[in-house]
Amino acid sequence: MDESRVAAYARAVAIVAGATAVCWLMFPVAELTDLVLVYLLGTVLIAASDGRGPSIFASLASVAAFDFFFVPPYLAFDVAHPRYLLTFAVMLIVALVISGLTVRIRRQAEAAEQRERRTAALYAMSRELAQGATVDDLIAIAARHLGEVFTADVTIFLPAAGDRLEPRRRGASTISDNELALAHAAFELRQATGLGTRTSPGAAATYLPLLGHRGVLGVVGIEPPGRRALEAPEPFRLLETLVNQTALALERARLAEEAQQARVGAETERLRNSLLTSVSHDLRTPLAAITGAATTMLEGGGRLDAGTRQELLEAIRDEAERLNRLVQNLLEMTRLESGALTLRRDWHPVEEVVGAALGRAAKRLASRRVTVTIPPDLPLVAIDDVLIEQVLVNLLDNAVKYAAPEGAIRLMATASERAVTVEVTNQGPTLPPGEEERVFEKFHRVVADGRQGAGLGLAICRGIVEAHGGRIWAQNLPEGGVAFLFTLPLAEASLAPLPADA
Amino acid sequence: MPDPAVVLIEDEPQIRRFLRATLTAEGYRLFEATTGAAGLIEVGSRQPDVVIVDLGLPDMDGLEVIRRIRAWTAVPIVVLSARGQERDKVTALDGGADDYVSKPFGAGELLARIRVALRHAAGVARADGEAFKVGGLEVDLLRRQVHVEGVEVRLTPIEYRLLSTLVRHAGKVVTHQQLLREVWGPTHTDQSHYARVYMAHLRHKLEAEPARPRYLLTEPGVGYRLTAE
């Protein structure tokens, strides 16, 4: 018998003794029936606080004490008159019935309270689990809640490569081979093992499988502070419920991950298809032109006049350059997408990068009117000059491609407190509504009108500008034409001052 | 004086075919090697006037080839490299190469680089007697005078040092490291924005349109080049 039960019986003895003392005081002035009521009150108190056993004991003790002290002959268990036997019987029955009812009410209250606690714990955990997105989040949430509710050390095992279980969320204690074997057993048998179960009840912790609809997702190991803490059915049921919740949340996360992967797969497939279509078309066109020009010269031989030969040779050169730009863009896009792009930032005057870009695009810009406006006091920007030059070249290419033949191309840079904005505008047709955003999408072309380009240039621009922490956008000009703008944030770090020069 | 000799170290047969046609048509004596090891032997035995090295060789890093050549000769080295490999170019240039062309390149571009390299190799012994002239720009290193379209331009000491460094390497690419070392000294080689800021000043003084320079060209990620022809 444990201490709490001993204490309960001791309390029962004390209350009966107390009732006897009260009766002793009342005895000279009260009826015997009043004394019976005092004893009944004591029994009810015991029933309400200590349960069935002590209350039965108190009932019997009350009848005995009543008989001993207050029923003639006094201070003896003998009964002088048989009618007292009836009094005893009624007193005992009433005491037992009252204590039985009281105990039942108390149990119901306790059960309700436990249900409340369980619901609260479940609710708290479910709510957090619903917010966790990744498996790691969910494991952390589950481990924390289980640890708090049971004041226990929680380890969560998930299957790793090669059918091995791996402790993913480790409690304070280290995991012995034996514990790991129990976790494996729970995983394979799909039932609880370890402390308090049929499999190896002597272990320090209990292992419960995380059962999903499609199989076991993992194992929760829980090591309570006392060996008996999980013995009662109520906490064990709560543990099972919480573990089930965790399993469901994990399964949901896993399904979401799979769906996401499927979506990404489908998207990749779609992109690959449009890449193939676009690239094979865009590669073939210049190749056809080159092949055609070269074979004409080979086979036409001396019949071609000098002007025609010159024209064919220029076509070969121009188409080869176009191919080169396309390959360059494809490479750049691949680098951007694979995350292999590392910015090599340094301080640059915008003017210098613009100059380099205009130099590289010079041949294509030769037939265009290009105006450049850059204030001389523009601050330096921390950029990767090779990449920003690429952005400018792509924007200039784009302007040449879509501008009206006589339309001017304008390049401007302005500075605000927080960023330098560079703007490339061309006169000509405007973008159809809704296209201002879409032009930056990969392989997107405003009109499939046979104009050259894989629809990569602007997507690359966006990738590079965003990698610099800037923003790029397009807007139609009221007078016709399109402006492409991008920002380059000005870093907060300041430059070392230049040494004196005089 | 015999025709200048060129050793070409390049493993791609198409590129060799194209360069063979171009270089022999220009009167160069061409010696080809398809590996770094064979190239080093060619350089040792032919005593060429110019070496052309592809950075992507099958047997040995092009940078290693440059280092080994530089260990015993100052022969001009022109590097063939792809765009997007600016870092390799800078390493090659700082490791002793004289210039580079990015694949794909036109014949004219490569021939210009070779001419500049030959001129510099020949000019090592020549005194900086005559003024440097290109377009309307005239730099007299002897009298420390700079003229643009016949008008004298006043430069600060650093601007002048920067310009004279570029003039000494006219036509050749000069990396930021080289510029910083020659203008500011070896302790400032990590402050590459110095060069950029003063280059901007120079452009505003020497160029008609600083954002579309004719003389002071930028090679993004690599350095600067003063137009020479």
Side-chain angles (χ1 to χ4, degrees):
Chain A
M1 200 180 273
D2 62 41
E3 277 176 32
S4 66
R5 284 168 68 83
V6 172
Y9 282 98
R11 260 197 304 282
V13 171
I15 283 197
V16 172
T20 307
V22 172
C23 291
W24 190 260
L25 295 173
M26 289 165 64
F27 184 55
V29 292
E31 294 284 324
L32 269 187
T33 45
D34 298 336
L35 303 186
V36 169
L37 289 177
V38 172
Y39 278 109
L40 286 179
L41 179 64
T43 312
V44 168
L45 287 177
I46 284 296
S49 68
D50 291 311
R52 188 176 292 279
S55 70
I56 292 171
F57 171 74
S59 305
L60 292 168
S62 296
V63 172
F66 178 65
D67 174 20
F68 189 75
F69 290 108
F70 305 113
V71 174
Y74 303 120
L75 300 179
F77 288 112
D78 300 334
V79 177
H81 196 283
R83 72 182 165 94
Y84 289 120
L85 288 178
L86 185 65
T87 308
F88 295 155
V90 170
M91 183 179 168
L92 187 61
I93 289 166
V94 170
L96 288 177
V97 167
I98 288 176
S99 69
L101 287 173
T102 313
V103 164
R104 198 191 297 165
I105 289 166
R106 198 177 72 106
R107 284 233 178 110
Q108 278 169 353
E110 270 174 9
E113 201 177 303
Q114 243 165 6
R115 263 201 308 280
E116 233 279 275
R117 264 211 308 278
R118 193 170 71 174
T119 313
L122 194 60
Y123 174 69
M125 188 162 102
S126 308
R127 201 178 47 178
E128 276 202 54
L129 284 176
Q131 284 162 0
T134 67
V135 168
D136 283 333
D137 287 351
L138 296 176
I139 288 176
I141 292 166
R144 184 160 47 77
H145 276 274
L146 287 168
E148 277 170 15
V149 172
F150 298 101
T151 53
D153 203 26
V154 178
T155 309
I156 295 183
F157 302 84
L158 289 188
D163 275 351
R164 243 167 17 83
L165 278 181
E166 205 180 63
R168 284 286 290 276
R169 186 78 193 183
R170 190 184 282 267
S173 56
T174 52
I175 289 140
S176 66
D177 287 350
N178 187 31
E179 305 278 301
L180 202 58
L182 282 173
H184 270 279
F187 189 78
E188 272 148 33
L189 301 172
R190 297 173 166 230
Q191 62 186 34
T193 59
L195 175 64
T197 69
R198 269 176 299 174
T199 318
S200 196
T206 308
Y207 296 87
L208 292 106
L210 286 159
L211 291 169
H213 291 108
R214 296 190 305 171
V216 193
L217 298 153
V219 173
V220 174
I222 183 157
E223 186 178 339
R227 297 190 55 80
R228 310 196 82 98
L230 293 175
E231 214 167 48
E234 188 50 43
F236 198 80
R237 254 205 314 277
L238 176 58
L239 176 60
E240 277 182 329
T241 314
L242 294 183
V243 168
N244 280 341
Q245 278 296 316
T246 309
L248 290 179
L250 277 177
E251 190 160 61
R252 172 180 59 76
R254 193 161 296 178
L255 285 173
E257 266 171 25
E258 280 169 19
Q260 174 67 15
Q261 266 163 14
R263 259 201 307 281
V264 169
E267 177 72 1
T268 311
E269 187 60 26
R270 194 183 65 76
L271 278 179
R272 192 177 297 136
N273 287 339
S274 69
L275 176 78
L276 279 178
T277 318
S278 152
V279 167
S280 56
H281 172 262
D282 289 310
L283 287 175
R284 248 189 231 123
T285 312
L287 280 175
I290 292 170
T291 314
T295 50
T296 306
M297 290 190 51
L298 280 171
E299 287 154 24
R303 290 197 303 281
L304 300 172
D305 60 69
T308 312
R309 292 172 70 88
Q310 182 69 19
E311 207 173 296
L312 290 172
L313 287 169
E314 280 171 9
I316 292 177
R317 184 198 56 199
D318 294 347
E319 292 305 307
E321 280 173 4
R322 199 195 297 287
L323 266 183
N324 181 39
R325 286 200 299 277
L326 177 63
V327 171
Q328 189 65 42
N329 272 342
L330 281 171
L331 273 175
E332 207 78 57
M333 196 75 230
T334 316
R335 276 205 300 171
L336 272 172
E337 300 223 311
S338 64
L341 191 80
T342 46
L343 296 187
R344 292 170 51 77
R345 282 189 165 187
D346 209 335
W347 298 97
H348 293 272
V350 172
E351 183 182 80
E352 184 171 299
V353 187
V354 165
L358 287 169
R360 191 140 76 89
K363 206 151 39 163
R364 274 156 285 151
L365 292 171
S367 60
R368 300 289 182 157
R369 210 146 36 84
V370 183
T371 58
V372 183
T373 320
I374 298 175
D377 57 346
L378 209 66
L380 299 190
V381 282
I383 53 171
D384 184 319
D385 55 339
V386 177
L387 295 176
I388 295 298
E389 187 211 20
Q390 181 73 46
V391 170
L392 287 165
V393 167
N394 284 0
L395 290 180
L396 288 169
D397 262 352
N398 194 70
V400 171
K401 240 180 272 174
Y402 293 101
E406 294 80 31
I409 293 171
R410 214 171 58 209
L411 208 159
M412 286 193 311
T414 50
S416 71
E417 227 163 75
R418 290 170 41 207
V420 166
T421 306
V422 183
E423 184 176 350
V424 179
T425 65
N426 65 267
Q427 295 174 339
T430 52
L431 292 169
E435 290 287 333
E436 291 98 329
E437 258 305 306
R438 297 200 65 201
V439 287
F440 293 103
E441 285 173 18
K442 248 184 314 180
F443 308 119
H444 181 77
R445 269 181 287 189
V446 174
V447 271
D449 60 355
R451 278 183 220 197
Q452 298 286 338
L456 283 174
L458 292 177
I460 290 168
C461 289
R462 182 166 70 177
I464 293 174
V465 169
E466 285 177 358
H468 279 82
R471 200 166 76 80
I472 187 166
W473 70 101
Q475 57 194 38
N476 284 324
L477 298 173
E479 67 271 23
V482 188
F484 285 89
L485 299 98
F486 68 90
T487 59
L488 296 169
L490 291 170
E492 272 145 37
S494 59
L495 271 170
L498 294 174
D501 175 26
Chain B
M1 192 171 152
D3 289 335
V6 177
V7 166
L8 168 65
I9 311 174
E10 162 67 80
D11 60 315
E12 303 286 350
Q14 305 93 311
I15 306 287
R16 283 207 311 279
R17 187 166 90 169
F18 147 58
L19 288 179
R20 194 182 306 136
T22 309
L23 293 171
T24 50
E26 287 292 316
Y28 292 103
R29 286 179 295 134
L30 181 66
F31 303 100
E32 299 173 25
T34 56
T35 63
L40 287 171
I41 294 171
E42 284 290 309
V43 173
S45 57
R46 306 289 182 185
Q47 302 287 321
D49 298 288
V50 176
V51 180
I52 301 173
V53 183
D54 185 355
L55 278 189
L57 289 170
D59 62 327
M60 159 185 327
D61 189 352
L63 298 172
E64 181 58 28
V65 176
I66 293 167
R67 257 196 299 279
R68 295 214 198 158
I69 295 175
R70 270 289 165 268
W72 54 275
T73 168
V75 61
I77 301 173
V78 177
V79 164
L80 306 183
S81 143
R83 203 192 127 69
Q85 298 180 335
E86 272 61 31
R87 210 174 185 169
D88 290 350
K89 288 171 195 164
V90 171
T91 316
L93 292 167
D94 288 336
D98 291 80
D99 217 328
Y100 73 95
V101 282
S102 294
K103 288 179 182 176
F105 52 88
E109 201 183 348
L110 177 68
L111 291 172
R113 300 277 179 275
I114 294 176
R115 273 198 303 276
V116 167
L118 285 173
R119 210 159 46 226
H120 278 285
V124 170
R126 194 185 65 193
D128 294 318
E130 58 196 84
F132 168 83
K133 269 187 213 168
V134 61
L137 174 67
E138 204 174 317
V139 184
D140 188 337
L141 293 179
L142 219 57
R143 296 205 231 143
R144 301 174 69 94
Q145 279 180 342
V146 181
H147 288 83
V148 176
E149 311 292 347
V151 182
E152 185 169 359
V153 179
R154 296 234 155 262
L155 299 182
T156 65
I158 288 180
E159 286 164 5
Y160 182 76
R161 279 213 296 281
L162 190 59
L163 181 61
S164 59
T165 304
L166 288 167
V167 167
R168 276 197 299 279
H169 295 96
K172 264 171 50 170
V173 71
V174 185
T175 65
H176 292 114
Q177 292 292 303
Q178 286 172 306
L179 264 190
L180 289 165
R181 210 170 33 240
E182 293 192 25
V183 177
W184 279 274
T187 51
H188 287 91
T189 47
D190 55 340
Q191 304 283 356
S192 63
H193 66 279
Y194 286 9
R196 298 200 181 95
V197 169
Y198 284 103
M199 190 60 82
H201 293 173
L202 263 188
R203 284 207 184 97
H204 279 267
K205 288 187 177 178
L206 304 181
E207 300 277 2
E209 266 192 278
R212 311 179 78 174
R214 276 179 66 200
Y215 311 122
L216 300 164
L217 307 182
T218 308
E219 313 252 326
V222 182
Y224 295 104
R225 188 191 298 278
L226 177 65
T227 318
E229 41 185 63

